[in-house]
């Protein structure tokens, strides 16, 4: 093993001291080094986050999007996609189903769809919080500060807004008409408004290097995020990046493990994307630092249309089947299912007055 790799691993005992160079070295690990990196990340996850896995039920309630991101199947110009919108009552019914299955968090996710006014979404959040004993995460993209404030007042607990890449030039190319600066501004608003904040990035984007991925982790540490969704880029033929190479399982796991070392207290999902590129992707991710899985609770009839990337797993599963698949994945990784909300550790300590 390289000396610099061993030195970086040693520095991981003080996560705040891990530098971008250290993380680049970790992410560039060879096979033998990777095994060591994964072992340490798993150890840190177990010590800091415990062995329970939090299940967050995702409801993908609209695939309309006004944006035109080059990598995403939901992009505005993708005319091959059959579009759908769920009605507020349907979304709430989905949340009931998720809670009935045992999810203590419901994630409401959509493209950037102006059809849903802030009032409408706030009302949905309010009704879910009033009726069900669940935490609510919103993932509906760029909105104004006032709109985020309204969702928060309605009871939303968390907001997921991935920065996707820390490379400002690449960000602007991949997400036309937007900037990394604007995205980070929104992440700061969310923090100021009292949300538990989630971000994240893709692995394997064209033009990305190990150094960029290390920068993604450093950025999330600086932004003090409480959740980080790290998954492979999967090219979609219905997008301009359709013929690019996608992210690999190996690179995704190394980035995930490095993130666990630098961000020990952060919730890290074993993503659906990693399960899509490899049949054991989620189990492997759970063994490299992940502690969250998001079963898909979207009604079956809409699933095929929420295709950010192709061949997404579980397209023919009912919510019940998705949930039980995820439970089996967790158990096969030798872990147990959390029955708590899975709030951020920071939030839980605040509630406990620590
Ligand atoms: S990544 Fe998000 S904002 Fe961009 S096209 Fe897809 S759904 Fe819309």
């Amino acid at each position: 093993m390289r000396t610099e790799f061993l030195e970086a691993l040693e520095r991981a005992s003080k996560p705040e001291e891990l530098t971008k160079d250290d993380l680049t070295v970790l992410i560039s690990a060879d096979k033998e080094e990777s095994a060591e990196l994964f072992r340490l990340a798993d150890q840190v996850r177990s010590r800091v986050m415990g062995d329970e896995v939090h299940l967050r039920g995702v409801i993908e309630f609209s695939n309309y999007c006004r944006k035109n991101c080059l990598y995403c199947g939901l992009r505005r110009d993708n005319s091959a996609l059959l579009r759908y919108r769920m009605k507020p009552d349907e979304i709430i019914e989905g949340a009931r189903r998720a809670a009935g299955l045992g999810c203590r968090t419901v994630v409401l996710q959509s493209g950037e769809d102006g059809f849903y006014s802030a009032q409408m979404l706030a009302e949905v959040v309010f009704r879910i919080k009033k009726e069900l004993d669940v935490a609510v995460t919103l993932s509906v993209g760029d909105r104004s500060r006032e709109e985020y404030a309204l969702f928060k007042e309605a009871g939303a607990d968390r907001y997921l807004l991935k920065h996707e890449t820390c490379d400002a030039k690449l960000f602007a190319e991949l997400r036309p008409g937007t900037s990394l600066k604007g995205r980070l501004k929104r992440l700061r608003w969310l923090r100021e408004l009292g949300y538990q904040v989630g971000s994240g990035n893709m692995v394997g984007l064209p033009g990305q290097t190990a150094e960029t991925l290390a920068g993604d982790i450093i950025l999330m540490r600086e932004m003090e995020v409480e959740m980080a969704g790290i998954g492979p880029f999967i090219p979609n033929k219905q997008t301009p990046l359709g013929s690019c190479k996608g992210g690999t399982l190996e690179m995704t796991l190394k980035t995930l493990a490095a993130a666990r070392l630098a961000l020990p207290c952060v919730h890290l999902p074993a993503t659906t994307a990693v399960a899509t590129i490899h049949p054991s992707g989620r189990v492997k991710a759970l063994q490299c630092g992940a502690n969250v899985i998001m079963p898909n609770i979207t009604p079956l009839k809409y699933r095929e249309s929420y295709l950010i990337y192709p061949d997404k797993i579980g397209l023919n599963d009912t919510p019940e089947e998705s949930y039980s698949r995820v439970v089996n994945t967790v158990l096969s990784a030798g872990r147990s299912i959390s029955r708590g909300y899975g709030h951020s550790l920071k939030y839980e300590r605040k509630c406990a007055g620590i």
Side-chain angles (χ1 to χ4, degrees), residues 157-295:
D157 300 275
R158 310 180 192 133
Y159 203 99
L160 186 57
L161 191 72
K162 290 189 180 184
H163 72 276
E164 307 294 6
T165 176
C166 66
D167 178 335
K169 192 167 163 280
L170 187 59
F171 185 102
E173 279 167 21
L174 295 178
R175 302 180 57 91
T178 69
S179 68
L180 180 63
K181 204 171 151 206
R183 198 73 163 173
L184 299 183
K185 178 177 73 182
R186 286 183 167 78
L187 283 167
R188 285 190 200 97
W189 288 344
L190 293 164
R191 156 86 49 241
E192 287 160 14
L193 290 165
Y195 282 96
Q196 297 171 52
V197 178
S199 190
N201 63 279
M202 280 182 281
V203 176
L205 287 167
Q208 194 183 46
T209 61
E211 207 182 347
T212 326
L213 293 166
D216 285 317
I217 298 173
I218 296 283
L219 176 67
M220 291 192 282
R221 191 170 67 188
E222 283 167 2
M223 300 296 289
E224 298 182 22
V225 304
E226 289 147 306
M227 307 170 273
I230 297 169
F233 158 62
I234 305 177
N236 183 336
K237 288 271 177 268
Q238 293 172 358
T239 69
L241 298 191
S243 53
C244 291
K245 250 180 89 192
T248 63
L249 175 71
E250 193 197 2
M251 199 57 158
T252 306
L253 295 179
K254 288 193 287 187
T255 310
L256 185 67
R260 174 53 72 206
L261 300 187
L263 311 165
C265 308
V266 160
H267 287 299
L268 294 177
T271 61
T272 306
V274 83
T276 298
I277 62 166
H278 192 283
S280 316
R282 279 202 287 220
V283 171
K284 288 179 189 291
L286 287 176
Q287 293 163 342
C288 292
N291 71 318
V292 168
I293 299 191
M294 296 159 82

Side-chain angles (χ1 to χ4, degrees), residues 65 67-69 71-72 74-76 110-112 164 175:
C65 190
K67 294 237 171 89
N68 221 9
C69 304
Y71 52 84
C72 176
L74 269 49
R75 67 198 305 269
R76 188 183 63 219
S110 69
E112 292 198 9
E164 307 294 6
R175 302 180 57 91

Side-chain angles (χ1 to χ4, degrees), residues 13-47:
S13 61
K14 290 188 181 154
E16 63 289 350
E17 287 181 13
L18 276 172
T19 63
K20 187 173 168 190
D21 284 349
D22 287 334
L23 292 169
T24 307
V25 167
L26 294 177
I27 292 169
S28 312
D30 64 20
K31 210 166 174 198
E32 188 194 3
E33 291 168 343
S34 294
E36 199 50 26
L37 171 65
F38 297 162
R39 194 190 57 76
L40 187 61
D42 195 43
Q43 218 177 66
V44 171
R45 186 272 312 150
S46 175
R47 177 168 50 78

Side-chain angles (χ1 to χ4, degrees), residues 119-131:
Q119 281 294 350
M120 253 169 109
L121 285 181
E123 175 74 17
V124 169
V125 171
F126 182 79
R127 286 175 59 193
I128 291 175
K129 290 295 289 189
K130 197 167 159 213
E131 181 187 323

